[in-house]
Amino acid sequence: MKPLIAGNWKMNKLPSESETWVRDCTSKLQHIDHSHAEIALCVPFTHIASMTNVLVATVVRLGSQDVSAYESGAYTGEVSAAMLKDLGVCYAIVGHSERREYHQERDAVVCAKAQAALSHGLVPIVCVGESLEQRDAGEADEVVTTQLKASLAGINLDNADDLVIAYEPIWAIGTGKTASAAQAQEMHEKLRAHLAGKYGADIADGVPILYGGSVKAANAEEIFAGKDVDGGLVGGASLDSRGF
């Protein structure tokens, strides 16, 4: 399994700014050994068509920040997995904490979106994570494993490459706070144990489990050193090509 470093631009940058970022980032990647890791960039829907052409000759794979649970039809504002696949998208983030919180997306919706992505050959990056109140109450393990179980309900996997999990403690997203390396490893180990119980050890060992939550150049090496930490879902730090 290759580790995965996935940038999430969220609602930032204009489509016209994308090419400069890609040029700067890929020029730096030429000077390092990237053969041991997968690199992806999840951009707003408005950027995807132009980014497809910009990224085609690079090592960076394209991802979306969301995907519709619906195949097609009268769903104004939605973007389907088939549409994304047609544009060359490889990954789709589902269940990001900001979608869960601001758009009231529940686990059943996250699961439906993951299934839609899989049905069209996209790899869903399924996000789970607890709030500070839940962690302080000693409920973090239960909350996160319950989210994972419900978000994968009814999803069968024959290939570990078809799924990515991202643990993103809500209290560490955009706050400057970061889970310690030990906290990240502990939760990732529990998530992998759940995957092993559902899909078997062989598949569980091959599913990348990313950490997301104020990841940046200064703390990435320590966090990624965890045995069960297979890379990162990088938010704000991905906006700067050097930091990413």
Side-chain angles (χ1 to χ4, degrees):
M1 170 187 54
K2 280 188 178 183
L4 171 64
I5 307 298
N8 176 15
W9 277 2
K10 305 189 180 185
M11 196 174 70
N12 291 293
K13 291 192 179 293
L14 300 175
S16 58
E17 298 174 309
S18 303
E19 187 172 351
T20 299
W21 185 98
V22 173
R23 185 171 58 250
D24 290 346
C25 184
T26 53
S27 68
K28 294 172 177 63
L29 290 173
Q30 291 174 358
H31 304 294
I32 65 172
D33 178 13
H34 53 78
S35 61
H36 64 291
E38 193 78 48
I39 303 166
L41 187 64
C42 300
V43 299
F45 289 136
T46 51
H47 297 44
I48 289 174
S50 61
M51 290 291 275
T52 299
N53 296 326
V54 173
L55 293 176
V56 68
T58 76
V59 298
V60 181
R61 301 179 74 186
L62 187 59
S64 69
Q65 298 173 10
D66 194 18
V67 62
S68 178
Y70 302 105
E71 183 71 18
S72 63
Y75 301 105
T76 300
E78 294 283 282
V79 178
S80 74
M83 293 173 180
L84 295 173
K85 184 67 175 181
D86 194 56
L87 287 172
V89 171
C90 300
Y91 294 97
I93 298 174
V94 298
H96 191 281
S97 63
E98 290 157 2
R99 298 294 308 179
R100 291 178 184 266
E101 181 178 0
Y102 304 145
H103 300 273
Q104 290 76 53
E105 290 189 1
R106 299 295 177 255
D107 293 329
V109 173
V110 176
C111 184
K113 289 185 173 187
Q115 289 175 318
L118 286 165
S119 69
H120 287 279
L122 301 180
V123 177
I125 302 176
V126 179
C127 300
V128 295
E130 82 283 2
S131 67
L132 183 59
E133 293 75 17
Q134 290 166 331
R135 175 163 281 275
D136 287 346
E139 300 170 350
D141 292 356
E142 180 181 358
V143 167
V144 172
T145 54
T146 297
Q147 283 180 346
L148 183 64
K149 179 179 180 180
S151 297
L152 298 179
I155 292 179
N156 297 315
L157 276 187
D158 297 320
N159 191 332
D161 294 336
D162 292 340
L163 177 67
V164 175
I165 304 298
Y167 168 56
E168 40 160 31
I170 297 170
W171 48 271
I173 298 175
T175 63
K177 298 179 180 179
T178 308
S180 68
Q183 287 173 320
Q185 167 55 29
E186 181 182 16
M187 187 62 77
H188 282 226
E189 184 176 8
K190 290 181 171 64
L191 292 172
R192 200 174 304 282
H194 176 78
L195 292 175
K198 182 176 177 64
Y199 299 119
D202 288 345
I203 286 183
D205 288 344
V207 172
I209 304 179
L210 314 183
Y211 172 79
S214 296
V215 181
K216 46 188 177 291
N219 59 27
E221 184 174 4
E222 181 182 7
I223 294 171
F224 296 169
K227 180 175 71 70
D228 291 294
V229 180
D230 306 312
L233 183 58
V234 184
S238 70
L239 296 172
D240 171 54
S241 61
R242 291 179 300 173
F244 185 62

